[in-house]
């Protein structure tokens, strides 16, 4: 991004969604939920509990799906607040790959990203990047009280806490297109200040809570 471009008056922030963006968000939400359910309830074993699989899709929809959706919307909202034109685009090839890998008993998903354009500084770009992981931390806090209830609320709480903390930690890795790289490029200290606690909390959640409580 060329920060030497002459300053222009930024338009008023406006949160809108094109039909294409809504379709991509919905497709990514559903695909990730199904992929996670396939990972938890493998179909390649030949002994599929359909009822349990449907339950896992539902649980994934309100945990994995919500974690992904609000993560991406946070990027979009903060980008717009900084005068950007921002829109989510799904990566159809990666969504297909997520399903195929889940069928093999593994989990990997890079459903797409919020692409934004316009004049922006390194600090502003870092704020856009941080919005996603910070949102996941807030979601983890929101799911946490569910752990005191019996199932299925406890399972939803465990999945919500663990998945959101791992999503935050993963995205804060300062590498490639991940959020952490944008923060690292702006301020390495801030990046580590967010990444290290995120990773620590994610590992603690896995050990102390687990994925299903």
């Amino acid at each position: 991004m060329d920060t030497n471009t002459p300053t222009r008056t930024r338009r008023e922030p406006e949160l809108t969604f094109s039909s294409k963006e809504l379709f991509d968000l919905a497709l990514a939400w559903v695909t990730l939920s199904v992929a996670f359910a396939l990972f938890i309830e493998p179909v390649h074993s030949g002994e599929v509990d359909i009822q349990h699989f449907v339950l896992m899709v539902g649980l994934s929809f309100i945990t994995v799906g919500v974690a992904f959706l609000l993560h991406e919307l946070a990027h979009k909202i903060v980008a717009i607040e900084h005068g950007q034109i921002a829109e989510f685009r799904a990566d159809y090839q990666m969504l297909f790959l997520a399903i195929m890998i889940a069928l093999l008993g593994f989990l990997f998903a890079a459903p797409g990203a919020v692409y934004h354009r316009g004049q922006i500084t390194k600090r502003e770009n870092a704020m856009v990047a941080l919005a996603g992981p910070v949102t996941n931390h807030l979601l983890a806090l929101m799911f946490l009280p569910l752990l005191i209830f019996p199932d299925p609320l406890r399972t939803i709480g465990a999945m919500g806490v663990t998945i959101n903390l791992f999503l935050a930690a993963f995205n804060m890795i300062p590498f490639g297109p991940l959020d952490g790289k944008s923060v690292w490029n702006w301020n390495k200290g801030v990046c580590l200040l967010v990444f290290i606690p995120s990773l620590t909390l994610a590992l603690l959640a896995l050990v102390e809570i687990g994925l299903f409580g």
Side-chain angles (χ1 to χ4, degrees):
M1 191 67 63
D2 183 9
T3 57
N4 294 320
T5 302
T7 302
R8 298 188 301 272
T9 301
R10 289 179 172 175
R11 62 185 178 85
E12 288 296 319
E14 183 179 355
L15 182 61
T16 59
F17 298 88
S18 67
S19 57
K20 166 68 173 173
E21 182 177 23
L22 290 174
F23 175 81
D24 278 11
L25 284 168
L27 180 64
W29 189 352
V30 172
T31 304
L32 285 180
S33 299
V34 172
F36 193 83
L38 287 171
F39 171 71
I40 299 300
E41 184 68 29
V43 299
H44 63 274
S45 63
E47 299 179 2
V48 183
D49 185 334
I50 298 298
Q51 185 176 1
H52 188 252
F53 175 73
V54 172
L55 174 63
M56 287 310 307
V57 171
L59 292 177
S60 298
F61 199 77
I62 59 178
T63 53
V64 180
V66 168
F68 147 75
L69 181 65
L70 296 187
H71 177 104
E72 298 300 338
L73 288 181
H75 285 318
K76 179 183 175 75
I77 291 170
V78 175
I80 290 174
E81 288 296 324
H82 285 95
Q84 300 287 285
I85 298 173
E87 193 158 313
F88 175 81
R89 283 291 179 266
D91 187 324
Y92 299 152
Q93 291 182 334
M94 294 305 296
L95 289 176
F96 175 77
L97 186 62
I99 295 293
M100 293 299 101
I101 291 178
L103 286 171
L104 296 175
F106 300 95
L107 185 64
F108 174 78
V114 169
Y115 295 93
H116 56 92
R117 66 181 187 274
Q119 185 180 352
I120 194 169
T121 66
K122 282 187 176 182
R123 179 187 179 281
E124 291 171 338
N125 197 42
M127 295 303 103
V128 174
L130 280 170
V134 168
T135 296
N136 290 126
H137 278 289
L138 293 176
L139 284 171
L141 282 176
M142 292 177 64
F143 278 107
L144 189 61
L146 296 180
L147 294 175
I148 66 174
F149 295 97
D151 283 333
L153 291 180
R154 178 176 173 78
T155 298
I156 293 173
M159 290 177 65
V161 170
T162 305
I163 289 167
N164 273 286
L165 289 177
F166 264 89
L167 189 58
F170 175 76
N171 277 281
M172 280 306 301
I173 297 174
F175 177 78
L178 296 175
D179 299 330
K181 183 62 175 178
S182 295
V183 183
W184 180 270
N185 289 339
W186 167 60
N187 189 307
K188 295 177 176 57
V190 171
C191 181
L192 294 175
L193 191 62
V194 178
F195 172 63
I196 294 175
S198 296
L199 180 61
T200 301
L201 288 172
L203 294 175
L204 282 174
L206 183 62
V207 173
E208 299 295 331
I209 300 174
L211 191 55
F212 301 107

